[in-house]
Amino acid sequence: MFPAVNGYFFIPNYPTEVAAINFDTTGTTRIGRYVLNHSFQLAGFITTFVSIGVGYLIITFLY
């Protein structure tokens, strides 16, 4: 459940996100008008919800 609690995707200040934005030549990976409106946000939320769900499933099967 680490992706659910790290929050790297929420504010685009992590070096891999900044590098991905700079390396993208197509222009699809970008920071939006607001800082919290960027290309990694939806993927981060999906990863968070899936990680929490899988974590709870693993816990229920182990205990």
Side-chain angles (χ1 to χ4, degrees):
M1 295 195 331
F2 176 72
V5 296
N6 68 13
Y8 288 147
F9 69 91
F10 198 67
I11 298 174
N13 62 352
Y14 199 62
T16 54
E17 291 178 358
V18 175
I21 292 169
N22 288 330
F23 290 146
D24 184 22
T25 58
T26 63
T28 57
T29 306
R30 60 180 170 73
I31 296 177
R33 185 183 330 181
Y34 308 106
V35 176
L36 299 178
N37 180 16
H38 55 85
S39 300
F40 299 105
Q41 196 129 27
L42 181 61
F45 282 132
I46 291 171
T47 303
T48 299
F49 294 130
V50 169
S51 298
I52 290 171
V54 169
Y56 280 126
L57 284 174
I58 290 172
I59 287 172
T60 57
F61 287 128
L62 292 178
Y63 292 110

PDB file of all heavy atoms in Angstrom, residues 14-25 28-30 40:
ATOM      1  N   TYR A  14       8.692  15.587  -7.728  1.00  0.00           N
ATOM      2  CA  TYR A  14       9.574  14.436  -7.689  1.00  0.00           C
ATOM      3  C   TYR A  14      10.420  14.431  -8.962  1.00  0.00           C
ATOM      4  O   TYR A  14       9.907  14.720 -10.054  1.00  0.00           O
ATOM      5  CB  TYR A  14       8.737  13.161  -7.562  1.00  0.00           C
ATOM      6  CG  TYR A  14       9.499  11.978  -7.076  1.00  0.00           C
ATOM      7  CD1 TYR A  14      10.083  11.979  -5.826  1.00  0.00           C
ATOM      8  CD2 TYR A  14       9.648  10.851  -7.870  1.00  0.00           C
ATOM      9  CE1 TYR A  14      10.787  10.885  -5.371  1.00  0.00           C
ATOM     10  CE2 TYR A  14      10.344   9.764  -7.423  1.00  0.00           C
ATOM     11  CZ  TYR A  14      10.919   9.783  -6.175  1.00  0.00           C
ATOM     12  OH  TYR A  14      11.622   8.705  -5.724  1.00  0.00           O
ATOM     13  N   PRO A  15      11.713  14.135  -8.875  1.00  0.00           N
ATOM     14  CA  PRO A  15      12.596  14.259 -10.041  1.00  0.00           C
ATOM     15  C   PRO A  15      12.176  13.452 -11.264  1.00  0.00           C
ATOM     16  O   PRO A  15      12.347  13.916 -12.397  1.00  0.00           O
ATOM     17  CB  PRO A  15      13.945  13.775  -9.506  1.00  0.00           C
ATOM     18  CG  PRO A  15      13.888  13.989  -8.052  1.00  0.00           C
ATOM     19  CD  PRO A  15      12.456  13.806  -7.662  1.00  0.00           C
ATOM     20  N   THR A  16      11.612  12.254 -11.064  1.00  0.00           N
ATOM     21  CA  THR A  16      11.202  11.474 -12.234  1.00  0.00           C
ATOM     22  C   THR A  16      10.020  12.109 -12.956  1.00  0.00           C
ATOM     23  O   THR A  16       9.926  12.023 -14.184  1.00  0.00           O
ATOM     24  CB  THR A  16      10.851  10.038 -11.832  1.00  0.00           C
ATOM     25  OG1 THR A  16       9.880  10.055 -10.791  1.00  0.00           O
ATOM     26  CG2 THR A  16      12.074   9.275 -11.385  1.00  0.00           C
ATOM     27  N   GLU A  17       9.128  12.739 -12.230  1.00  0.00           N
ATOM     28  CA  GLU A  17       7.999  13.424 -12.879  1.00  0.00           C
ATOM     29  C   GLU A  17       8.478  14.649 -13.648  1.00  0.00           C
ATOM     30  O   GLU A  17       8.037  14.893 -14.775  1.00  0.00           O
ATOM     31  CB  GLU A  17       6.960  13.833 -11.844  1.00  0.00           C
ATOM     32  CG  GLU A  17       6.239  12.669 -11.222  1.00  0.00           C
ATOM     33  CD  GLU A  17       5.253  13.110 -10.174  1.00  0.00           C
ATOM     34  OE1 GLU A  17       5.159  14.320  -9.897  1.00  0.00           O
ATOM     35  OE2 GLU A  17       4.566  12.246  -9.627  1.00  0.00           O
ATOM     36  N   VAL A  18       9.356  15.420 -13.047  1.00  0.00           N
ATOM     37  CA  VAL A  18       9.878  16.605 -13.726  1.00  0.00           C
ATOM     38  C   VAL A  18      10.666  16.201 -14.970  1.00  0.00           C
ATOM     39  O   VAL A  18      10.539  16.826 -16.031  1.00  0.00           O
ATOM     40  CB  VAL A  18      10.747  17.438 -12.752  1.00  0.00           C
ATOM     41  CG1 VAL A  18      11.398  18.599 -13.462  1.00  0.00           C
ATOM     42  CG2 VAL A  18       9.902  17.933 -11.594  1.00  0.00           C
ATOM     43  N   ALA A  19      11.444  15.136 -14.863  1.00  0.00           N
ATOM     44  CA  ALA A  19      12.196  14.651 -16.023  1.00  0.00           C
ATOM     45  C   ALA A  19      11.257  14.154 -17.112  1.00  0.00           C
ATOM     46  O   ALA A  19      11.486  14.422 -18.301  1.00  0.00           O
ATOM     47  CB  ALA A  19      13.147  13.541 -15.602  1.00  0.00           C
ATOM     48  N   ALA A  20      10.199  13.445 -16.751  1.00  0.00           N
ATOM     49  CA  ALA A  20       9.247  12.959 -17.750  1.00  0.00           C
ATOM     50  C   ALA A  20       8.573  14.119 -18.479  1.00  0.00           C
ATOM     51  O   ALA A  20       8.350  14.050 -19.689  1.00  0.00           O
ATOM     52  CB  ALA A  20       8.199  12.070 -17.091  1.00  0.00           C
ATOM     53  N   ILE A  21       8.261  15.169 -17.751  1.00  0.00           N
ATOM     54  CA  ILE A  21       7.643  16.344 -18.378  1.00  0.00           C
ATOM     55  C   ILE A  21       8.627  17.012 -19.329  1.00  0.00           C
ATOM     56  O   ILE A  21       8.270  17.413 -20.439  1.00  0.00           O
ATOM     57  CB  ILE A  21       7.159  17.328 -17.298  1.00  0.00           C
ATOM     58  CG1 ILE A  21       5.988  16.717 -16.529  1.00  0.00           C
ATOM     59  CG2 ILE A  21       6.761  18.659 -17.902  1.00  0.00           C
ATOM     60  CD1 ILE A  21       5.603  17.472 -15.276  1.00  0.00           C
ATOM     61  N   ASN A  22       9.889  17.095 -18.945  1.00  0.00           N
ATOM     62  CA  ASN A  22      10.892  17.732 -19.797  1.00  0.00           C
ATOM     63  C   ASN A  22      11.273  16.887 -20.997  1.00  0.00           C
ATOM     64  O   ASN A  22      11.587  17.430 -22.060  1.00  0.00           O
ATOM     65  CB  ASN A  22      12.144  18.059 -18.987  1.00  0.00           C
ATOM     66  CG  ASN A  22      11.902  19.202 -18.038  1.00  0.00           C
ATOM     67  OD1 ASN A  22      11.093  20.080 -18.316  1.00  0.00           O
ATOM     68  ND2 ASN A  22      12.586  19.193 -16.913  1.00  0.00           N
ATOM     69  N   PHE A  23      11.280  15.561 -20.865  1.00  0.00           N
ATOM     70  CA  PHE A  23      11.687  14.682 -21.963  1.00  0.00           C
ATOM     71  C   PHE A  23      10.590  14.464 -22.994  1.00  0.00           C
ATOM     72  O   PHE A  23      10.872  14.036 -24.105  1.00  0.00           O
ATOM     73  CB  PHE A  23      12.129  13.317 -21.437  1.00  0.00           C
ATOM     74  CG  PHE A  23      13.427  13.344 -20.699  1.00  0.00           C
ATOM     75  CD1 PHE A  23      13.648  12.493 -19.632  1.00  0.00           C
ATOM     76  CD2 PHE A  23      14.437  14.213 -21.065  1.00  0.00           C
ATOM     77  CE1 PHE A  23      14.844  12.516 -18.938  1.00  0.00           C
ATOM     78  CE2 PHE A  23      15.641  14.244 -20.376  1.00  0.00           C
ATOM     79  CZ  PHE A  23      15.843  13.393 -19.320  1.00  0.00           C
ATOM     80  N   ASP A  24       9.355  14.722 -22.653  1.00  0.00           N
ATOM     81  CA  ASP A  24       8.237  14.468 -23.565  1.00  0.00           C
ATOM     82  C   ASP A  24       8.262  15.468 -24.713  1.00  0.00           C
ATOM     83  O   ASP A  24       8.069  16.666 -24.514  1.00  0.00           O
ATOM     84  CB  ASP A  24       6.918  14.541 -22.819  1.00  0.00           C
ATOM     85  CG  ASP A  24       5.729  14.195 -23.694  1.00  0.00           C
ATOM     86  OD1 ASP A  24       5.924  13.515 -24.709  1.00  0.00           O
ATOM     87  OD2 ASP A  24       4.618  14.621 -23.361  1.00  0.00           O
ATOM     88  N   THR A  25       8.463  14.988 -25.913  1.00  0.00           N
ATOM     89  CA  THR A  25       8.497  15.872 -27.083  1.00  0.00           C
ATOM     90  C   THR A  25       7.119  16.060 -27.702  1.00  0.00           C
ATOM     91  O   THR A  25       6.933  16.960 -28.511  1.00  0.00           O
ATOM     92  CB  THR A  25       9.456  15.321 -28.149  1.00  0.00           C
ATOM     93  OG1 THR A  25       9.031  14.003 -28.519  1.00  0.00           O
ATOM     94  CG2 THR A  25      10.873  15.283 -27.617  1.00  0.00           C
ATOM     95  N   THR A  28       2.200  15.917 -24.443  1.00  0.00           N
ATOM     96  CA  THR A  28       1.049  15.371 -23.729  1.00  0.00           C
ATOM     97  C   THR A  28       1.282  15.291 -22.226  1.00  0.00           C
ATOM     98  O   THR A  28       0.332  15.280 -21.459  1.00  0.00           O
ATOM     99  CB  THR A  28       0.703  13.966 -24.255  1.00  0.00           C
ATOM    100  OG1 THR A  28       1.855  13.126 -24.126  1.00  0.00           O
ATOM    101  CG2 THR A  28       0.278  14.032 -25.709  1.00  0.00           C
ATOM    102  N   THR A  29       2.536  15.192 -21.799  1.00  0.00           N
ATOM    103  CA  THR A  29       2.855  15.178 -20.379  1.00  0.00           C
ATOM    104  C   THR A  29       3.189  16.603 -19.976  1.00  0.00           C
ATOM    105  O   THR A  29       4.186  17.161 -20.384  1.00  0.00           O
ATOM    106  CB  THR A  29       4.061  14.263 -20.110  1.00  0.00           C
ATOM    107  OG1 THR A  29       3.794  12.979 -20.654  1.00  0.00           O
ATOM    108  CG2 THR A  29       4.309  14.128 -18.625  1.00  0.00           C
ATOM    109  N   ARG A  30       2.313  17.187 -19.178  1.00  0.00           N
ATOM    110  CA  ARG A  30       2.486  18.602 -18.858  1.00  0.00           C
ATOM    111  C   ARG A  30       1.883  18.919 -17.507  1.00  0.00           C
ATOM    112  O   ARG A  30       1.128  18.139 -16.946  1.00  0.00           O
ATOM    113  CB  ARG A  30       1.827  19.472 -19.910  1.00  0.00           C
ATOM    114  CG  ARG A  30       0.335  19.215 -20.010  1.00  0.00           C
ATOM    115  CD  ARG A  30      -0.344  20.064 -21.053  1.00  0.00           C
ATOM    116  NE  ARG A  30      -1.695  19.616 -21.277  1.00  0.00           N
ATOM    117  CZ  ARG A  30      -2.707  19.782 -20.453  1.00  0.00           C
ATOM    118  NH1 ARG A  30      -2.532  20.401 -19.318  1.00  0.00           N
ATOM    119  NH2 ARG A  30      -3.908  19.338 -20.745  1.00  0.00           N
ATOM    120  N   PHE A  40       0.042  13.307 -14.272  1.00  0.00           N
ATOM    121  CA  PHE A  40       0.226  12.145 -13.414  1.00  0.00           C
ATOM    122  C   PHE A  40      -0.866  12.007 -12.357  1.00  0.00           C
ATOM    123  O   PHE A  40      -0.882  11.026 -11.627  1.00  0.00           O
ATOM    124  CB  PHE A  40       1.587  12.212 -12.710  1.00  0.00           C
ATOM    125  CG  PHE A  40       2.731  12.230 -13.659  1.00  0.00           C
ATOM    126  CD1 PHE A  40       3.424  13.396 -13.898  1.00  0.00           C
ATOM    127  CD2 PHE A  40       3.096  11.088 -14.335  1.00  0.00           C
ATOM    128  CE1 PHE A  40       4.482  13.416 -14.773  1.00  0.00           C
ATOM    129  CE2 PHE A  40       4.144  11.098 -15.215  1.00  0.00           C
ATOM    130  CZ  PHE A  40       4.849  12.264 -15.439  1.00  0.00           C
TER     131      PHE A  40
END
